[in-house]
Amino acid sequence: MKEQLMAHPVFGMAARQFDRTADHLNLTEDVRERCKWPKRLITVTIPIKRDNGDTEVFFGYRVQHHLSRGPVKGGLRFHPNVELGEVAALSMWMNWKCALMELPFGGGKGGVTCDPRSMSQRELENVTRRYTSEMLPFIGPETDVMAPDMGTNEQTMAWMTDVYSTHAGHLVPGIVTGKPVNLQGSQGRTVATGHGVAFLATRALTKCKIKHENATAIVQGFGNVGSYAALTLSRFGVKVIGISDITGAIFNENGIKVEDVFDHVAANGGVKDFAGADSIDPEEMLVQKCDVLVPAALERVITEENAPKLQCRVLAEAANGPTTTQADAIIEERGDIFLVPDILCNAGGVTVSYFEWVQNLQRFQWSEQEVLTKLETMLAKAFDRVQWFADKQGVSNRVAALALGIKEVADVKKQRGLFP
Ligand code: NAD
């Protein structure tokens, strides 16, 4: 299994990041091994009836990286490229992210290999319900709490809540986060990840002595994270000049009205043909001159091919694993790009998920203002800790963020000892 996981490009990337950081931390071999490998890798089949009457079997996964510091927390992804190795890598990053943010969670991730864009609501509901029921023995508010990720949303979470609660015989809101607010979701959860990305990007701009009102941004991906990152950046005074999604890319050096893109996407299903900007090749868009580049879609989009050509001052990694190991080395070598690494940059999502879980356990509701204020306080603290560690140890922001997360997990492993 170790070889199989290491052969997966995304897991290999996460494992190399871990090894490099573990070397820096001088982790002993036993703690290193216990920290690196996931605790549980669950694979299920999900048979459903398609709308045309055919039966189709999908594969679903859940990887629980560690339960040592609390229940595992992490998203559920519906995408054609979902594979066990990818899910395992994402669960590992979630683990370091939760520890970096000092949240009482381990990392988890789930996924179903399917194309939600080609499925009806009924088919998506059936996949979600069957996936949840297959996962019943492994999930719960004290064991594993899922949330939306690529291709899933608050409706997915509502169906999952329904399946779990029906089996329990009463409403169990703490089973997932990112639920609709009237089903005890948290105010502010929908905007949380994007808001956090924009908040941290502007702190990075300040570090680079660039004023927000003079800054420009390019955002890849206009889903939950990318859209709210773009909107919040524009509300902070940053001019958004490029946006892309799966349908295409748009560019306007005078600035794009992000609110209007929301309306266009709602009406047309994508950013393509937006009237207030020109179309541009999506790859070309990434290397245009800007102050903040926000990859908010897929993994491994900043590569050794485009890394030398990047013209941004801040790379705010809203997606998980957007930068390959080779590109990372190029960016470090260049030294002219301020990196906000993924496990810090997109941590707003899991932080507000934590707030939602706490509110659910207490049957309490906080206001959006309360949520976002608490979020900004926690993100600012994590940003400063990463900067402090990077400066003190002379390492990159990525190694600093990973080191803070991994050390926390390693310390707990050592304290708890080895059972039996
Ligand atoms: P989403 O499904 O809501 O949106 C994904 C977006 O990416 C869509 O706009 C889609 O069109 C676009 N996209 C897909 N393929 C593309 C391509 N080849 N080029 C350009 N755009 C493309 O997903 P999301 O929840 O916004 O997640 C995006 C990323 O952020 C993922 O890496 C996810 O793991 C990460 N993330 C999400 C959350 C969250 O709270 N949703 C939290 C932390 C991290």
Side-chain angles (χ1 to χ4, degrees), residues 77 79 90 94 97 109 117 148-152 189-190 193 220-227 244-248 282 295-299 301 318-321 346-347 349-350:
R77 175 177 289 198
H79 194 274
L90 290 163
M94 277 306 294
K97 191 186 303 179
K109 202 76 177 191
R117 286 174 65 86
D149 192 78
M150 275 184 82
T152 57
R189 176 61 185 87
T190 309
T193 313
Q220 181 196 46
F222 202 73
N224 173 264
V225 180
S227 63
S244 71
D245 70 5
I246 197 155
T247 65
L298 307 167
E299 292 106 42
V301 292
N320 287 303
N346 64 36
V350 72

Side-chain angles (χ1 to χ4, degrees), residues 113-292:
T113 316
C114 66
D115 180 6
R117 286 174 65 86
S118 69
M119 295 165 74
S120 68
Q121 280 296 103
R122 194 197 66 85
E123 290 173 333
L124 286 171
E125 178 173 354
N126 288 352
V127 164
T128 306
R129 287 186 180 280
R130 188 63 191 257
Y131 173 85
T132 311
S133 75
E134 295 296 342
M135 288 295 160
L136 283 176
F138 309 105
I139 59 175
E142 302 297 338
T143 1
D144 187 339
V145 184
M146 300 203 205
D149 192 78
M150 275 184 82
T152 57
N153 53 30
E154 62 174 33
Q155 178 58 71
T156 322
M157 297 303 116
W159 291 325
M160 295 184 81
T161 307
D162 185 61
V163 173
Y164 192 88
S165 302
T166 304
H167 277 79
H170 56 94
L171 178 67
V172 186
I175 182 58
V176 290
T177 58
K179 301 176 291 293
V181 170
N182 57 0
L183 196 54
Q184 299 183 32
S186 179
Q187 301 284 351
R189 176 61 185 87
T190 309
V191 305
T193 313
H195 184 94
V197 169
F199 175 76
L200 293 171
T202 53
R203 284 185 94 83
L205 283 173
T206 305
K207 277 262 165 200
C208 299
K209 302 195 174 20
I210 300 169
K211 290 202 167 79
H212 310 171
E213 54 275 20
N214 298 335
T216 55
I218 290 177
V219 182
Q220 181 196 46
F222 202 73
N224 173 264
V225 180
S227 63
Y228 286 107
L231 187 66
T232 314
L233 278 167
S234 69
R235 288 187 177 157
F236 286 160
V238 175
K239 198 198 293 176
V240 177
I241 57 172
I243 299 176
S244 71
D245 70 5
I246 197 155
T247 65
I250 55 173
F251 191 80
N252 182 346
E253 61 185 11
N254 296 319
I256 296 171
K257 271 192 142 181
V258 181
E259 284 91 347
D260 292 353
V261 183
F262 268 82
D263 294 339
H264 179 83
V265 170
N268 302 285
V271 302
K272 189 167 175 269
D273 297 332
F274 175 68
D278 298 324
S279 79
I280 184 172
D281 176 78
E283 272 299 312
E284 276 302 303
M285 184 196 78
L286 295 177
V287 297
Q288 297 302 304
K289 191 167 169 36
C290 64
D291 294 301
V292 186

Side-chain angles (χ1 to χ4, degrees), residues 11-12 14 26 28 34 37 42 44 73 85 94-95 128 166 183 237 239 243 285 343 352 364 371 378 403 411:
F11 190 87
N26 281 325
T28 57
R34 288 166 62 201
W37 303 106
I42 304 154
V44 295
K73 189 81 199 73
M94 277 306 294
N95 204 16
T128 306
T166 304
L183 196 54
K239 198 198 293 176
I243 299 176
M285 184 196 78
I343 65 164
V352 175
F364 203 69
V371 166
M378 287 178 72
D411 285 350

